[in-house]
Structures are given as structure tokens and as C-alpha cells.
Amino acid sequence: MLRPNGSRTLAVLARWLLGTGLVTWRYLWETTPLHRGGECRGDETDLPPRLPPEAVDARVQLAQDGSGPLFHRLFRVRITDADVGPDRLVEWVCCDFKRFVPSEVVDIHTGELRDHGLDVADELLVEMPGPWNGPVKVVHRDAGRLHLVTLRGHMEAGQVQFRAREEDGLLVFEIELWACAANRLVHLLYSHLRLAKEIQLNMWVRFCLAAAAMSGGRPLDGVHISTRWLASPEGTPVRPLSSAGRSASGGAPPAGRLGEPDASQEHRRRDSG
């Protein structure tokens, strides 16, 4: 597992004291429209995707290991006049993840990557202000999607996907998260004081805008954000399989469909309406 060494302490402190203030200032003066759409209670389609069994070990921090409600969040930007397609954009995310995050408050550390960037079983350490860093592991990558799961020590317990596609002549980039707070303290900061939640929102909005800039295009109508929540993921830790996706033996769906967020399409249509 990747860990920051002692020489990074001053850099972390600087990001906490100076970077957070700068990001807050930029957030207050952000001119890109943010369509937050409110929050609502979810249903079983908001549960996290099923992970490949071989990807789950003792270090993985699943949603049912966390505390408090499960939040399902979707960040979407529709990009016009892009110079690249969805596959190329996801490739850039995998090869240079650090360029997409707000460097004032976040630093990214990886081990030695192959030429094509992040791949299954690779790990990242997202170094953030405060007492928590964000270790994550890649559980799936294909041409249009990167799928990560949190590891022990992360402030959240859950999963996140980065993906891109073409739709109606536009390049669409999305970040979808399914996560609980890792413990009661994070739950207090996230659900009650809302501090961690706003920091997360700012980071993923910046990621979406960076994706638009990297593509050579521009956001068509800002960033759309939807949030749905469940009281607790306990007892139903992953999304139930549909009858079409269930095998005769009742096992997991085919590997090519693991983590595919097809069950959320109706919610996306509802949120954008």
C-alpha cells in the first residue's frame, strides 16, 4: 500500500492552510453553472455495483464497512466541440490522473505504471488535507471506464467510476460514486457539518471541468450533480441482479458487465428532466 513519507508533511500542511483557502475562493467565484438538483431518498438501484470476487481482499473498504447513510452521487458534464473521443479521454485519466484534480489541495501518488497507465490491481494514494488520505485500487478498466474501490484508511468506504461516452453528438464525461463515511467522525463532517461533502463536491466538479478542458472542448451547460441516499447499505451491500443478468446458478453477471451502472439510467433521465 502506498504511504506518504515524512518529507511530505510540510506539503500536506501547506495544502491544508493555503490550498483549502484558494480552492474555497475559486469555488465561491466559480462561474460555471452547477445544477445540483437537490437530494432525495434512493432505492435498491442506488446500491453499489457488484465487484469481481478476486478484487476484494482484507484491505478493501466496502460500503457496508462504513458508517451512516450510503450516498450515490453522479457528476456529469456534456462537452461540445471536443477534439477527442471518449476512449482517448478515459485513457488520459488513466495515464495522468493527477492533471484532473485540484493540485492546491490534492496530490496523487502511484507506483510505477505501465505505458497505458492505471490498470486492474494498481493503487493510488490521494493525499488530501486533514487526517485522512485516500488509498484506492483499480478493480476494472476498459476503453470507456475506470473503476476504483476504496482501501483501509480512506475517509470513505465505497466505489467510484470515471467514464466517457458519445451522446447526441456530444462528449459526455461522468463520475459516479457509491460511498458511506468510513467512520463516525467522517459521518459527522460529511452528513451533519457537510464540510467533507462540500470539499468532495468541489473536487469532482473541478475534475469534470478539467476533463472538458483536456478534451479541447467546453461544457455545454455546466456540471450536473445528483445525490440520492439510502439509510444504510447493511444487509444489501451490492445492487441485486436483474433476472436478465443472473446466471442459472445464481452467480454474478459476466465479467464484462461487472460494475456497469445500467440500473441508474432511469434516475439520470429523471434528474436531467
Side-chain angles (χ1 to χ4, degrees), residues 193-221:
L193 300 182
R194 303 181 68 89
L195 174 62
K197 188 174 182 180
E198 290 303 309
I199 291 175
Q200 182 201 69
L201 181 139
N202 176 64
M203 183 172 76
W204 296 132
V205 165
R206 290 278 299 277
F207 203 110
C208 288
L209 296 178
M214 287 284 288
S215 75
R218 56 184 176 81
L220 178 65
D221 52 0

Side-chain angles (χ1 to χ4, degrees), residues 38-210:
E39 296 185 10
C40 65
R41 181 182 290 273
D43 55 36
E44 66 178 19
T45 64
D46 293 291
L47 292 167
R50 189 174 297 267
L51 293 177
E54 63 273 16
V56 181
D57 56 29
R59 295 175 53 234
V60 168
Q61 190 163 265
L62 299 172
Q64 61 265 40
D65 300 322
S67 177
L70 172 75
F71 287 93
H72 177 201
R73 308 193 83 186
L74 178 67
F75 297 78
R76 182 196 299 118
V77 59
R78 299 193 301 162
I79 304 167
T80 186
D81 300 326
D83 296 330
V84 300
D87 294 1
R88 184 60 171 161
L89 182 56
V90 170
E91 181 183 0
W92 283 343
V93 172
C94 294
C95 291
D96 200 0
F97 196 92
K98 188 172 183 175
R99 290 189 63 179
F100 291 80
V101 300
S103 58
E104 306 93 333
V105 291
V106 176
D107 199 5
I108 304 294
H109 304 281
T110 66
E112 186 175 347
L113 300 178
R114 284 146 287 190
D115 292 341
H116 61 278
L118 293 167
D119 209 339
V120 173
D122 287 336
E123 296 183 14
L124 301 84
L125 179 67
V126 183
E127 198 171 75
M128 301 179 288
W132 300 281
N133 286 323
V136 294
K137 180 175 73 171
V138 180
V139 294
H140 181 87
R141 178 191 170 179
D142 59 32
R145 176 163 49 102
L146 176 68
H147 188 169
L148 309 177
V149 66
T150 57
L151 299 177
R152 301 290 178 186
H154 200 291
M155 69 184 295
E156 292 184 315
Q159 305 173 39
V160 57
Q161 288 187 4
F162 306 85
R163 57 180 182 263
R165 68 180 187 277
E166 291 183 350
E167 183 179 278
D168 299 329
L170 300 172
L171 176 61
V172 179
F173 181 78
E174 294 178 330
I175 304 170
E176 190 164 18
L177 307 97
W178 302 262
C180 295
N183 53 52
R184 291 181 179 180
L185 177 57
V186 179
H187 174 42
L188 173 66
L189 293 174
Y190 192 96
S191 300
H192 296 287
L193 300 182
R194 303 181 68 89
L195 174 62
K197 188 174 182 180
E198 290 303 309
I199 291 175
Q200 182 201 69
L201 181 139
N202 176 64
M203 183 172 76
W204 296 132
V205 165
R206 290 278 299 277
F207 203 110
C208 288
L209 296 178

